[in-house]
Amino acid sequence: MAEETHADPRRNSVSEEQWKLYEAYNELHGLAQEFKTPFDAPAVLVVGHQTDGKSALVEGLMGFQFNHVGGGTKTRRPITLHMKYDPDCEAPVCRLVSDADPVVSEEKSLEEIQAYIEAENMRLEREPCQFWDKEIIILVEYKYCPNLTIIDTPGLTAPTPGRRNRALQGQSRSVESLVRAKMQHKEFIILCLEDCSDWSNATTRRVVMQIDPELSRTVVVSTKLDTKIPQFARSSDVEVFLRPPASTLDGCMLGDSPFFTSVPSGRVGSGHESVYRSNDEFKQALSSREMEDITSLEEKLGRPLSKEERSRIGVSSLRNFLEELLQKRYMDSVPSIIPLLEKEHRSTTRKLSDLNQELRGILATTSIAHCRGPTCTCLF
């Protein structure tokens, strides 16, 4: 187990050239941020209803548990997670980016970040709007992290009828407005979560398709697969669920077909109520859950899953797909970053030259002012 932990599987899954390109992109991205020359950076925008398992899926993609990521109306600001795979990070290393200055970040423990998110939620709960579209930005490095930027949004809610529920109705509209505004960013890949065993029940897709009607930049994910498999009585029902007709989904989604994920229940900790003693145990439980889902599906179908079908099952399959997709988007956006940085370089060079010239003038004036009679050795 220890040998697997220290191995570098991601370097084996991609070529050294791809790895170097990704690292180079990260450097370009960092320079653009440092020079305050922002550009449209690709990211995965997670959209789902409160009960769709959004928080659990984000934790599964991260490879460790992070309380208060997601949580429906408990989360009143989107949370951006800039994740970077680092095989040397035995524990997650997190840095919280300043709201005032995006260049400034400070290393925080998970408990400190959770406390900050809770404080923000309490503050906004007292505000008239109660929600804020400005993202809480967290930089994460970990041995199980994918190279992804994920933006987790507040959970959508179904409007509650009745006059007495006007406050909840207003809250529902506020959340949907915030999420819709985030989906307007064309560079974002939308991760649309659905918790249903019948694809005609399009709860989240209905909202997503108002912004992305063809689902051309949307990846659809069916969550809580382990709870759905027992609901199917016939193998034909499972076949339709795994490969729904295009007419049912009303679009040409990214990846051509949905992904199916399960995340094991239970929290990491040292208390009596904790199921896992470490994030390593949680990660192992994720892998075991995927294998159990595949076995259960094959038993229901009465046949082995094809290679293509298996590539849609599990958090790891989804993570690999998103990483490859974002890497391609990164590379496509590099040509637009370099001219921005070159322009900034020329501007900075001119400013530096002007400052040097001004400084020489000040020094010359100062030297002349201090000149005293025929014995002065001043060269000016």
Side-chain angles (χ1 to χ4, degrees), residues 40-304:
D40 292 336
V44 175
L45 185 76
V46 185
V47 179
H49 282 73
Q50 282 188 24
T51 58
D52 287 343
K54 190 160 56 67
S55 303
L57 180 59
V58 170
E59 288 182 336
L61 289 169
M62 294 174 73
F64 68 96
Q65 291 188 343
F66 187 96
N67 290 330
H68 304 291
V69 172
T73 54
K74 293 178 182 177
T75 299
R76 299 183 180 274
R77 290 176 61 182
I79 300 173
T80 296
L81 299 155
H82 290 296
M83 295 185 285
K84 182 179 179 182
Y85 165 70
D86 187 337
D88 298 323
C89 282
E90 292 296 317
V93 176
C94 301
R95 300 186 68 85
L96 181 64
V97 175
S98 167
D99 277 340
D101 189 345
V103 178
V104 177
S105 63
E106 184 178 356
E107 186 170 335
K108 299 279 188 181
S109 67
L110 291 178
E111 291 76 17
E112 289 173 327
I113 291 177
Q114 291 164 10
Y116 175 79
I117 294 172
E118 285 183 344
E120 279 296 281
N121 290 338
M122 292 176 64
R123 178 183 69 81
L124 288 168
E125 195 172 359
R126 297 189 294 267
E127 297 289 329
C129 182
Q130 296 195 339
F131 293 91
W132 191 15
D133 63 355
K134 186 175 178 61
E135 299 156 15
I136 295 174
I137 302 175
I138 303 166
L139 313 178
V140 183
E141 293 186 31
Y142 185 39
K143 63 181 178 180
Y144 291 139
C145 263
N147 290 311
L148 287 177
T149 293
I150 291 182
I151 304 172
D152 189 21
T153 59
L156 298 164
T157 57
T160 308
R163 290 186 177 182
R164 287 184 295 182
N165 296 310
R166 285 180 178 175
L168 292 175
Q169 293 165 7
Q171 191 175 79
S172 177
R173 287 192 297 271
S174 295
V175 172
E176 184 168 330
S177 176
L178 185 154
V179 172
R180 284 165 59 94
K182 291 294 180 186
M183 288 193 293
Q184 295 281 2
H185 292 264
K186 300 295 185 183
E187 72 276 13
F188 289 169
I189 296 164
I190 302 169
L191 200 63
C192 172
L193 274 54
E194 296 278 19
D195 177 16
C196 62
S197 54
D198 182 357
W199 286 110
S200 61
N201 296 327
T203 53
T204 306
R205 289 201 319 282
R206 219 173 269 123
V207 178
V208 170
M209 292 180 75
Q210 294 174 17
I211 307 300
D212 183 24
E214 295 298 320
L215 300 176
S216 59
R217 56 186 181 93
T218 297
V219 178
V220 177
V221 181
S222 174
T223 57
K224 306 179 187 177
L225 175 61
D226 55 335
T227 66
K228 294 180 177 58
I229 297 174
Q231 299 176 25
F232 298 113
R234 298 172 300 180
S235 61
S236 58
D237 295 332
V238 184
E239 298 279 5
V240 173
F241 181 63
L242 290 180
R243 179 68 73 170
S247 58
T248 304
L249 295 176
D250 299 320
C252 301
M253 74 184 81
L254 275 176
D256 297 327
S257 65
F259 283 81
F260 304 86
T261 63
S262 299
V263 178
S265 59
R267 307 304 297 173
V268 173
S270 56
H272 295 295
E273 71 284 356
S274 301
V275 176
Y276 311 111
R277 295 301 170 189
S278 67
N279 285 310
D280 281 32
E281 285 190 19
F282 171 65
K283 186 69 170 59
Q284 183 58 47
L286 273 171
S287 299
S288 298
R289 181 71 265 169
E290 290 181 18
M291 296 309 299
E292 290 169 12
D293 286 346
I294 290 172
T295 300
S296 298
L297 283 170
E298 290 181 338
E299 289 176 354
K300 284 282 185 179
L301 289 167
R303 64 170 178 82

